[in-house]
Every structure is written in structure tokens, then in C-alpha cells.
Amino acid sequence: MQPAGTEIASRTSAVINEFVGLEGPLLPILHGLQEEFGFVPDESLPVIAKALNISNAEVHGVVTFYHDYRRHPAGRHVLKVCQAEACQSMGSDAVAARIKQLLGIGFHETTKDGSVTLEPIYCLGLCACAPAAMLDGEVIGRLDDDKLEEIAAEVRL
Amino acid sequence: MSVTIYVPCDSGALALGAEKVAKAIESEIAARGIDARIVRNGSRGLYWLEPMVEVETADGRVAYGPVAANDVASLFDAGLVSGGSHRLSLGKTEDIPFLAKQTRLTFARVGITDPLSLDDYKSHGGLRGLEKAVAAAPADIVKTVTDSGLRGRGGAGFPTGIKWNTVLQAVADRKYILCNADEGDSGTFADRMIMEGDPFVLIEGMAIAGIATGATKGFVYIRSEYPHAIATMTRAVEIARKRGVLGVNVLGSPNAFDIEIRSGAGAYVCGEETSLMNSLEGKRGVVRAKPPLPAIQGLFGKPTVINNVISLASVPIIMDRGAEFYRDFGMGRSRGTIPIQIAGNVKHGGLFEAAFGLSLGEIVDDIGGGTATGRPVKAVQVGGPLGAYFPRKLFDTPFDYEAFAAKDGLVGHAGIVVFDDTADMLKQARFAMEFCAIESCGKCTPCRIGSTRGVETIDKIAAGIEPEKNLALVTDLCNTMKFGSLCALGGFTPYPVMSSINHFPDDFKPAATAVAAE
């Protein structure tokens, strides 16, 4: 359930206060909001615009430019599967197909039970232990069918 | 006597189970009542052997790998603590051929020391460059870096000293040192290894850059895909501040310099320097037209040194050992060493630091040991998603900025991705265009629209629709992108596309695609 409007505004202000003293505070604020809410709520944007004295359009432009910022809550787990060249050379296409099949969802989708969101990612710097993925910030290398099944079982718990 | 056991905390090792191995070792130590301590070091860069556990013995360090958690009990049974023999024994670490053949200057300490121990750093030669810098005139530091021949290791290969000199000459109330740690190229992980394995060398390099150019503030912009690097750098900066390496009096000198760590937000284009500056300022990561050069009008409009992690991390040893020492390595106009990252479908993947000049064939066949699948090598992509695909017939190309440019390729950030003969080069060319379309910042037309049209046109070739006409169209489109784009994203995407077309024409023929589609 999403928090009520006024609660979002006050929690947004608290995050802004933490970072507003930095040079170029907008990205740190957005990271902070994502940490706080799990996504960047629409109601936060005018609060940021006012605090930084920039337009709503500018804030919207920044939020939508970067792949990291979510506009909606993700699943309880987030699985990012690398699809860049080094992983391609080690069969990341097959890895993606297998995990989509195991979870019953495609990229940029969340399972109906809200357990996991699946996303492509372009390089985790694990190119010498490809194919690679990241589950909730934990890195996993040399993916094979066993590891994928293990991941699929773990995220469903 | 207490025994020291090393278990890497590098992301690559963690991805292969190093955390479980460390826990298992910890419980064996406790259960057996052994007087031993575990140090979480960086990775030596031999990723096919990770997690690689090392033990300090009277003869030096001895290695075992790849170690799984369920190997740990048998390792202790075999006398791990005294370097006992086991089926995972690799002998003395320094004697492993992959390591013994390297020239480790920038990576001298990575995998050896505890990344967050400043005392370890100092006892392995750390801070000697900065000590010399605080006693030197800024112009002399810049001269040393210029004379060393160091060129930007991010990919562009611009002489670092010349960039620094422009910032030194610029007059402003505030200047910045900006470290580009947005290492987004697939096949590269050298920046990550430095930040996770020897963060103080980057801090030292940035502090030297600050003193040399009159900048007092530094930023490290690290991609968000590297959470471990962000965490290690953040802790290292705190330690450096506490110990007086950073702050109002760097090493007790009148020079002030401090560093802040910033996280990217998942945009590949932010590895482009002007886009990175916009991002750090809190804007969309859109590329800026040059001029003005960042060295004159960079971050927040102030003169800014923007350098890659490896460029900055190479500065301390140059200051410590002198310009001649560094310049004596290498070939032609490519001086010093380059950390080559061998990745993808390769038997011995990892980091290999060597003087410029090795041939591509030596790197792939001799050092890398060929493919992991055991099939023949078909193509090697050098320099990330914007780098050319090299066929075997170009394997005599020496690793050197100019030699690669002469073959219509680029050294880039020195990542090498190996593909076996199952690779479909039309698919790889299509991916290059698709990736450019996903990541384009949208500022210039050739990149924004050209990449999408490129995907569509390659799809037509794959479908057998007027293949010759469409191949000519892709070639023409690549020409427009190469010469009409504002930055390297649109400008270099033609490298993987055209090299695929030129070196692997069979993959673009209708018959081949028809067979592949069956």
C-alpha cells in the first residue's frame, strides 16, 4: 500500500534536508527517496522542486532520464540479469530466457504475488565470471541452470 | 605464531561464493582452536581461480583455488595453515604464470593488502608519491606527469599532463578533481578492482592532482551497479580524512583537499565526461558541446580535471618512482603499463597488467588460454560496447592506441571480450545499435535517431529484405553517426557494427541468416 499524501511530503522533506547542503544535491536526494520509499513517489517531485528552487519539469526530466529511479514500487526482491557483451558471449540470452520461464514474467515486470521484479542490466563488472546477475544488491557469477533454479526458489519464499 | 589467511572481498570473488568460504574458514579456525586471522584482500585478478584463498607461510604466500565452502574442512585437514598440499593447491602465488608474467605498477598492491588498512598501504609503498607532491611546486608535479607519457586510461588516450596543465593555468576561485568511475563498458572491471582492492591509491592520485592544479575538492562518480566499490571508497575516504591524508592540511602541508563519493543512477552515457558533470550537478546526463573544455569550464562552471580511475591511480607510482621509470615501459606513444581485462568466453579470464605492446593474439591465446567452451575463437571485441570486433587475422595487432586506431578499432578502457564460433555477428552488430538507442542521451540526431534506424535496417538484412541495399544503407548511416555525433556513444557505435560487417561478411548474407533462423 502506498503511504498517504501528507506523509509522503514530510518524509520527502526529511530526505531533502539530509542532502540539500551538498553541491548538486538532486541525484543524492532521489537516491535517498528511493531508499526511503522503494521508488520515487509522484508526490515527492513538487516538494523537491520547491526546496531546490527549480521547476517541476526539471525534476521530472531528471527522474525520467535515469534507469535507476522507479516510479512505482518494485517486488520484494529485484533480480537484475546482465545482458551486455561479455555475458552474451557466455550465453546470457539463454539465461534470460530460462529465468523468465522460471518466474513467469518478462523484463521490467513484477510477479503477480509481488515477490520479484526482473530487469536487464548492462554490465556489473563481473565480465570474467559471466554470465552474471545481481539479486537485491548481492552479486552472482557463472550462472547456470542450478543457480537460476536456486534464485527462483529463493525469491518466491 | 598467528597465521594470516586471505579471502578476497572483491565483487568477482563474492559473486563466486567468497563470503561462504570466509565463514567456513572462520568456523574451522574456531573449531580447531587455531591461532589465525582472516584478512579480506582485493582480488589478484585470476578470476577462473576465484575464490582464491591464500596463506602467509615462511616461504611467502601460498594459494588455493577455486575454493568452495565445502572444500574448507579438507583444506584444513591437509594443513592449509602451513601451506600443506591439497588438490586445489596452486603453489606460491607469485609463481603462478598468469601473475609472474605481469608488470604490476598501478595494481602493485591489489590482492596483496587489506584494502582498508592505511598502515598496510603505507608499508607497501603507499603515500610516497603524495609525500613528494606536497614538497614540490605544482608546475613540477604537472611536468612529471607530462614527462611520464601517461595518457587517459578511460579510452580517449588524451595526455594527462596536458589536461592538468590547462587546469593549473586557469584562474578561478574554485577548481575540481573529478574521477570518472562510471565504468560502464562490458568487459572492463579494472576501475572496480582498484576501488575495491586498493582505494587509497585512487585517493592519493586525486590528492596529487589537487595539489598539482590548485583544486581543493574532488568527487568520485561511481556507477550504481558497483555497490561494493561505493561502500569501500566511502569507508576509505573516511579513514583518509581521519588520518590527515585528506582535509585542510594534506599530510600536514598547507594544501587542502577533500573527496566526496557520488553514485550514478544507471545511465551508460554518464561515462562521457560532460554528461557525467551534468549528472553530478543534478541534471539530466545530457552531453555538452565542447568547447568550452572541462579544464576551463567544467563542473559547476569551474576548471575541472576529469580523469579515469586508472589514470589517477597510476599517478602515485609516477610521482614516487619518477617520470622516466614509468615512461620506459611501453611502445611508440603508448607509454607505461595498461591493465588489460580479459573477459567473456575465455579460459583464463582476469586482469593482466603489462607494458603496452603485447599482440592481441598473445593476450587471447597465450595468456587467456583460448575460449572457456574450448571452441575456436571467432571474434574479440576490444574496448567495450563501442569497440571493434577483431577477427583472428588481425591478432598480430599490438596493444597500442595508434596501432588499434590504424585497424579501425580502439584500445578504449582495455577490456577484451572473447567470443567463440557460435557467435552471430549480425546479432552483435544489431545489439550495438540497440544499446546505443537505449542509452542515447538524445541530444544529437545521428545518435538518437540513427541508432533506432540502424536496428530496423539490420533487422531487414536479417529478414533477407534487399540485403545489399540495406547493407549500403547501414554503412552510410554509420558514416553519419561517426562524423555527426556529439560524443563517443553515437560516434563509436559504428566501430562494432562496421567491423562485424567488414570482417564477418558471411554472417550478413541472406543464406547464412536463413540457415541460422531454422
Side-chain angles (χ1 to χ4, degrees):
Chain A
M1 213 165 75
Q2 299 204 5
T6 51
E7 194 206 328
I8 291 183
S10 67
R11 281 162 70 188
T12 300
S13 294
V15 170
I16 293 171
N17 286 339
E18 197 179 326
F19 299 108
V20 76
L22 298 176
E23 295 174 87
L26 186 48
L27 263 66
I29 288 172
L30 294 173
H31 281 307
L33 290 174
Q34 185 136 310
E35 180 83 37
E36 172 75 18
F37 296 103
F39 67 109
V40 180
D42 288 343
E43 293 93 316
S44 296
L45 306 194
V47 185
I48 302 170
K50 191 150 186 264
L52 301 186
N53 197 24
I54 55 179
S55 70
N56 286 336
E58 280 172 275
V59 180
H60 180 266
V62 172
V63 174
T64 52
F65 183 86
Y66 297 96
H67 299 302
D68 279 5
Y69 301 128
R70 298 175 193 289
R71 310 303 304 282
H72 305 284
R76 288 193 302 281
H77 299 282
V78 177
L79 178 62
K80 300 180 181 194
V81 182
C82 183
Q83 297 291 292
E85 288 88 341
C87 287
Q88 288 168 15
S89 76
M90 289 299 281
S92 60
D93 277 1
V95 166
R98 180 77 184 127
I99 196 71
K100 284 175 187 172
Q101 186 194 23
L102 285 168
L103 299 176
I105 49 171
F107 280 139
H108 306 292
E109 290 177 6
T110 302
T111 51
K112 282 212 180 79
D113 62 358
S115 60
V116 60
T117 299
L118 183 64
E119 289 174 350
I121 193 163
Y122 296 94
C123 200
L124 293 162
L126 304 172
C127 317
C129 11
M134 184 183 263
L135 177 63
D136 303 329
E138 292 299 319
V139 285
I140 309 161
R142 294 206 189 111
L143 288 169
D144 53 23
D145 280 350
D146 287 350
K147 284 191 190 172
L148 290 173
E149 276 163 32
E150 213 174 286
I151 291 168
E154 194 186 322
V155 296
R156 293 235 185 250
L157 288 179
Chain B
M1 197 186 87
S2 179
V3 180
T4 308
I5 301 173
Y6 295 87
V7 185
C9 62
D10 173 277
S11 291
L14 293 176
L16 299 170
E19 202 56 47
K20 282 183 186 157
V21 171
K23 288 228 163 70
I25 291 177
E26 209 172 289
S27 39
E28 286 297 328
I29 291 173
R32 293 170 195 244
I34 297 166
D35 181 15
R37 66 175 189 127
I38 299 174
V39 168
R40 303 301 299 270
N41 56 335
S43 172
R44 296 271 195 165
L46 289 64
Y47 282 107
W48 77 99
L49 298 174
E50 289 288 1
M52 189 170 99
V53 173
E54 287 179 83
V55 182
E56 186 82 61
T57 71
D59 286 344
R61 276 158 75 158
V62 171
Y64 300 85
V67 178
N70 56 18
D71 294 322
V72 170
S74 72
L75 277 167
F76 275 87
D77 290 342
L80 168 91
V81 288
S82 51
S85 175
H86 185 272
R87 67 181 168 81
L88 296 174
S89 291
L90 301 166
K92 282 172 71 175
T93 316
E94 305 287 341
D95 295 342
I96 299 173
F98 191 91
L99 264 181
K101 284 189 276 186
Q102 298 191 41
T103 305
R104 288 217 165 182
L105 304 184
T106 308
F107 280 75
R109 278 170 300 266
V110 176
I112 295 174
T113 54
D114 175 347
L116 288 170
S117 163
L118 190 62
D119 296 324
D120 234 11
Y121 182 68
K122 284 165 82 173
S123 66
H124 286 80
L127 294 184
R128 291 205 293 242
L130 184 57
E131 278 160 8
K132 286 187 182 160
V134 293
D140 292 336
I141 306 173
V142 171
K143 187 174 183 305
T144 301
V145 174
T146 307
D147 291 348
S148 75
L150 179 66
R151 293 167 68 178
R153 296 285 189 254
F158 188 82
T160 306
I162 292 177
K163 200 184 262 187
W164 288 22
N165 193 45
T166 310
V167 177
L168 171 63
Q169 302 298 327
V171 180
D173 59 342
R174 203 164 165 76
K175 298 177 186 177
Y176 294 101
I177 305 299
L178 180 46
C179 173
N180 183 346
D182 197 49
E183 185 179 52
D185 290 351
S186 176
T188 65
F189 43 84
D191 297 355
R192 178 183 65 65
M193 282 183 67
I194 282 283
M195 292 188 285
E196 293 176 356
D198 195 18
F200 292 119
V201 79
L202 177 57
I203 292 170
E204 184 181 355
M206 289 178 72
I208 294 170
I211 292 165
T213 58
T216 50
K217 177 74 183 274
F219 288 99
V220 187
Y221 183 99
I222 309 175
R223 61 200 299 261
S224 60
E225 292 85 347
Y226 284 0
H228 294 283
I230 293 172
T232 308
M233 283 306 303
T234 304
R235 287 175 63 194
V237 164
E238 283 163 11
I239 294 165
R241 230 177 250 152
K242 206 182 283 175
R243 300 279 297 268
V245 177
L246 295 173
V248 286
N249 301 107
V250 171
L251 296 184
S253 75
N255 301 287
F257 190 74
D258 204 354
I259 292 176
E260 213 177 298
I261 307 297
R262 288 293 174 90
S263 166
Y268 173 75
V269 74
C270 289
E272 196 283 331
E273 59 182 15
T274 60
S275 157
L276 189 154
M277 292 188 295
N278 274 338
S279 179
L280 210 152
E281 289 179 16
K283 299 171 186 155
R284 291 164 68 88
V286 171
V287 173
R288 297 179 188 171
K290 286 188 277 193
L293 292 172
I296 310 271
Q297 221 177 306
L299 190 62
F300 301 107
K302 302 294 181 187
T304 303
V305 168
I306 176 160
N307 278 144
N308 168 256
V309 172
I310 303 299
S311 313
L312 289 163
S314 299
V315 167
I317 194 159
I318 292 170
M319 279 308 291
D320 177 25
R321 306 287 293 270
E324 292 75 19
F325 168 78
Y326 192 78
R327 195 183 53 203
D328 285 348
F329 295 95
M331 69 174 277
R333 285 172 51 218
S334 304
R335 310 311 312 176
T337 58
I338 177 106
I340 299 165
Q341 299 125 83
I342 309 171
N345 191 341
V346 68
K347 200 169 163 195
H348 298 155
L351 183 124
F352 194 93
E353 182 176 353
F356 283 93
L358 284 171
S359 76
L360 187 54
E362 282 176 273
I363 297 166
V364 174
D365 296 328
D366 304 343
I367 299 162
T371 63
T373 47
R375 303 181 65 96
V377 175
K378 178 169 181 175
V380 178
Q381 188 178 29
V382 185
L386 308 174
Y389 286 99
F390 279 73
R392 184 165 277 283
K393 68 170 188 256
L394 293 180
F395 273 17
D396 59 345
T397 311
F399 222 74
D400 162 78
Y401 291 109
E402 279 69 37
F404 265 69
K407 298 280 165 67
D408 289 322
L410 47 118
V411 164
H413 191 43
I416 288 185
V417 177
V418 181
F419 289 78
D420 72 13
D421 62 350
T422 60
D424 172 359
M425 301 313 291
L426 180 141
K427 198 172 150 193
Q428 296 309 123
R430 185 192 186 279
F431 176 78
M433 284 290 191
E434 186 189 17
F435 185 70
C436 181
I438 295 171
E439 298 297 336
S440 176
C441 81
K443 178 144 176 164
C444 69
T445 322
C447 174
R448 183 183 69 242
I449 297 178
S451 52
T452 298
R453 293 289 170 266
V455 172
E456 292 165 2
T457 314
I458 293 173
D459 279 343
K460 283 182 193 163
I461 297 168
I465 302 166
E466 299 183 278
E468 277 173 31
K469 201 177 134 197
N470 280 312
L471 260 181
L473 198 58
V474 171
T475 307
D476 190 40
L477 179 62
C478 280
N479 199 50
T480 303
M481 289 174 73
K482 186 172 178 181
F483 295 103
S485 299
L486 260 181
C487 83
L489 180 49
F492 286 7
T493 293
Y495 281 109
V497 176
M498 289 313 298
S499 58
S500 296
I501 293 173
N502 291 333
H503 300 311
F504 308 94
D506 290 350
D507 287 13
F508 292 81
K509 282 183 184 151
T513 51
V515 171
E518 273 167 21

